[in-house]
Amino acid sequence: MSLLRYLLIAGLLVVISLPLSGCEQAGERQKMKIGYMNCNSEAETRARFLPLTAYLSHYTGIDFEAVPVDTHEFAERYAQGEFALTHSNSLLYVQLKFDHELQLLAAEKRGNFGSRSAGTIIARKGSGIEKLTDLKGKRMVFGPMMAPTGYLAQYDLMLRSGIDPERDLAYYAIPSGSFKHEKLVYGVYFGAFDVAAAPLLDLEVMTREGKITADDFVILGQSPLVPYCTFGAAAKLDPAVVEKVRRALLELTPETTVDIAGERVKVLKSAWIDGFEALRDADYDVVRDMARRVNMPPYQEY
Amino acid sequence: MTQHNDRNLARKMIERARLDYLADLYAPVTAALESGDYSHALLALGEVQRSSPDEAYGQVLKGVILSKMGAIDAALESLAAGIKRDGNYIDRNGSLSYRETVAALVVNQLPLYAARVANDAGDTIALTSKRHLHYLQSRLAGGCE
C-alpha cells in the first residue's frame, strides 16, 4: 500500500514537473547584441534604433541589445566578438565580409534611390567652379574617411577624372564632431571651402527640410550608385536565427509599431529608414572596386 | 444641349488649367532634366514634393530622372506609382506625357529583369521590378484599370 502511494506521488510529481520544465525552457530567451554604427552620437543612435531592436526581439523571441559603435572602432569591436549582428555602412560591410565572412542580411532603403545612394562634389552656385577639372588648387572638405558616399565615392571620382586629391587640391579637411555631412554643405555655402564631398542623400534631406535649396549649389560630378547601410550577421550564427532576422527586416512596413515606455512608436520612422530589401553580395562589388582604386580597407596596401 | 456644351467647356478649362499649373510648378525640375543635370533635377523635385509628396506627375518625373541616373529599381517603383494615380502621363496625346521614355524603359529592361528572375527565383528585387515593368507595359498597351 505504501509502495502504491509512493508510486502515485512519484507519478504525480513527474506529470507536474514536465510542463514546468517546459515553461522554464521557453522562458530562457537567447540574448544577442546588435552593433549599430554611429552617425552623429551614441545617444542619437540608441534613440533611433531602440524601437527596431525591440521589434526584432519581439519578432524573433531573442533578447537583442543595441550597441552604438564608433565607425572607426567597428571592425575591431566586431572582431573581438562584441556583437553578432551589424548595422553599418556598405564599406564596413565589405570589410567585415572580406575579413570575417560576415553574412548579408538586408540593405536599408532611404531616400530617392532606395537601398542605394551616391556621392556628389558640390560648389556654391556663382563661384565660377563648374566642372571637375576646376577642382585643381581649390579648398575642399570631405566627409569622414569611412563614409562610402561622403569620402570614398568622391575620392574615387576625382582619381578617375585625373585629379589626385593629395597633390592637386590646395588643401582638404574633414570636419569633426556630429553632423559632418551637414557641416561640409554649410562650409561651402558660407565660403569656408570652395568645394565639398556631399552625399546625395544628405542634399536630398536638407533640400526637403528647407535648409538649402536646389539652386544654392552646382553639382560638379556624381559617383555611381552604391548600396546604403546594411545589416549583417556573423558567419557562425545559427542559420535559423539569420533567416528569422532577415525575414523580420524584410517584412517591416511604415505602419509597423512597437511599444516603448508606454508609447506606440513607428519602427521605421524612428530609425529614419524607408524599409529594407534583399540585395545580393555582388551588388557591393561597386564599393569593392572603389576601395581598391582608393587604396582603402580591406584592400589597403602600404 | 447648351448646358452640356457648357459643362464640356468647363471640364476642358479645368483640365487645361491643371496641366498649365503642373507645368509651371515643375518647371525648374523639367528644365534641369532636359539639360541633363539630373542630380539638380532631383533636388528641385524634392523641393516641390515637400508640399505635395504623392502628386502623380511628380512621381512620374522622379521615375524618369532616376531612370536617367541608372537607379532602375527605384525608377520603376516611382513610375508605376505615378501612372497608377494618373495614366495621362503616358497618354499619346498628353502634353505632360513621358510615354516614349517609359516605353523605351520597358523594352530595354524587361528582358534583363526576366533573365534575372529566371536565373534566381529568390531575387525579390528583380521580381518586384519585373512586376512594375509588366504593369507599365500593360498601361502602355492601353489596358484598363
Side-chain angles (χ1 to χ4, degrees):
Chain A
M1 186 67 178
S2 65
L3 179 65
L4 187 63
R5 183 181 288 170
Y6 170 79
L7 286 173
L8 195 67
I9 291 168
L12 266 173
L13 282 173
V14 167
V15 169
I16 290 166
S17 67
L18 274 176
L20 277 177
S21 63
C23 282
E24 198 178 312
Q25 276 179 356
E28 283 176 11
R29 285 165 65 102
Q30 201 177 349
K31 291 180 176 10
M32 209 171 284
K33 289 182 181 176
I34 306 174
Y36 290 102
M37 190 191 84
N38 282 339
C39 278
N40 292 307
S41 69
E42 282 197 18
E44 181 192 88
T45 304
R46 277 188 204 283
R48 276 179 70 185
F49 294 109
L50 186 66
L52 177 60
T53 308
Y55 161 78
L56 289 173
S57 296
H58 177 74
Y59 189 103
T60 61
I62 297 167
D63 283 336
F64 285 111
E65 182 189 339
V67 183
V69 186
D70 185 285
T71 312
H72 287 284
E73 296 170 0
F74 203 95
E76 189 185 338
R77 289 173 66 176
Y78 175 79
Q80 288 166 355
E82 195 177 327
F83 39 89
L85 295 175
T86 62
H87 177 267
S88 70
N89 68 37
S90 53
L91 179 59
L92 273 172
Y93 163 74
V94 163
Q95 188 181 347
L96 296 178
K97 172 80 178 171
F98 185 86
D99 290 337
H100 305 285
E101 282 298 318
L102 186 76
Q103 303 179 70
L104 175 60
L105 280 179
E108 177 180 321
K109 291 166 73 176
R110 191 177 173 208
N112 283 328
F113 299 96
S115 60
R116 290 175 172 83
S117 190
T120 67
I121 299 176
I122 59 166
R124 173 133 198 176
K125 201 167 211 171
S127 67
I129 305 168
E130 303 284 341
K131 51 193 183 302
L132 286 174
T133 48
D134 296 338
L135 285 176
K136 293 192 177 181
K138 299 295 186 296
R139 303 163 302 158
M140 182 160 182
V141 59
F142 281 96
M145 211 165 247
M146 290 299 287
T149 59
Y151 179 93
L152 174 68
Q154 289 89 347
Y155 203 105
D156 178 55
L157 179 63
M158 290 169 77
L159 289 179
R160 286 189 293 108
S161 306
I163 300 154
D164 182 346
E166 306 302 332
R167 292 188 177 86
D168 294 333
L169 294 171
Y171 75 93
Y172 73 81
I174 294 172
S176 61
S178 303
F179 296 99
K180 291 182 181 69
H181 300 306
E182 287 201 4
K183 279 175 182 164
L184 58 86
V185 172
Y186 289 130
V188 168
Y189 186 84
F190 289 110
F193 293 91
D194 300 312
V195 284
L200 191 52
L201 178 63
D202 287 76
L203 293 178
E204 267 179 59
V205 172
M206 289 176 78
T207 306
R208 205 182 312 133
E209 290 174 347
K211 290 175 177 170
I212 57 172
T213 71
D215 284 334
D216 290 336
F217 300 98
V218 179
I219 295 172
L220 310 176
Q222 187 193 305
S223 77
L225 294 166
V226 299
Y228 192 57
C229 284
T230 299
F231 252 101
K236 289 178 183 166
L237 202 61
D238 177 358
V241 171
V242 171
E243 201 41 50
K244 224 188 273 185
V245 175
R246 179 182 287 125
R247 216 171 47 237
L249 291 170
L250 295 177
E251 285 180 10
L252 267 167
T253 74
E255 307 311 318
T256 309
T257 58
V258 287
D259 289 332
I260 301 285
E263 190 183 349
R264 184 151 290 184
V265 181
K266 285 186 172 172
V267 174
L268 289 175
K269 189 179 177 192
S270 165
W272 311 349
I273 294 172
D274 296 337
F276 286 93
E277 66 182 358
L279 288 189
R280 297 161 302 167
D281 181 66
D283 292 320
Y284 292 76
D285 286 349
V286 60
V287 181
R288 293 183 175 102
D289 292 341
M290 284 180 180
R292 283 191 187 95
R293 288 192 292 262
V294 176
N295 195 29
M296 287 201 51
Y299 309 108
Q300 199 164 33
E301 289 175 2
Y302 295 97
Chain B
M1 188 67 177
T2 311
Q3 205 174 20
H4 173 74
N5 285 341
D6 284 351
R7 272 207 307 273
N8 213 14
L9 182 65
R11 192 178 52 76
K12 282 181 181 170
M13 284 169 67
I14 289 167
E15 180 59 11
R16 171 74 68 85
R18 191 181 73 85
L19 293 174
D20 286 351
Y21 176 75
L22 286 175
D24 194 39
L25 181 67
Y26 288 99
V29 182
T30 49
L33 174 61
E34 279 159 22
S35 66
D37 192 354
Y38 304 129
S39 305
H40 187 259
L42 205 54
L43 294 179
L45 180 64
E47 284 181 344
V48 179
Q49 287 188 321
R50 255 193 295 164
S51 52
S52 49
D54 297 324
E55 195 281 313
Y57 185 50
Q59 287 184 313
V60 170
L61 279 174
K62 183 175 164 184
V64 171
I65 299 165
L66 291 173
S67 73
K68 302 280 185 195
M69 295 174 92
I72 305 298
D73 297 313
L76 293 171
E77 186 179 343
S78 200
L79 283 170
I83 301 299
K84 257 179 207 163
R85 281 207 166 84
D86 190 341
N88 284 320
Y89 301 119
I90 50 167
D91 193 285
R92 274 197 179 82
N93 304 316
S95 62
L96 302 180
S97 173
Y98 281 91
R99 183 180 179 85
E100 284 178 19
T101 308
V102 175
L105 198 62
V106 170
V107 168
N108 294 330
Q109 295 297 328
L110 197 49
L112 304 178
Y113 279 97
R116 266 179 66 177
V117 172
N119 288 335
D120 180 1
D123 188 344
T124 52
I125 296 173
L127 198 61
T128 304
S129 290
K130 187 167 166 284
R131 283 196 190 114
H132 290 323
L133 281 162
H134 281 305
Y135 173 75
L136 293 171
Q137 189 182 42
S138 163
R139 293 302 302 256
L140 286 163
C144 54
E145 192 183 18

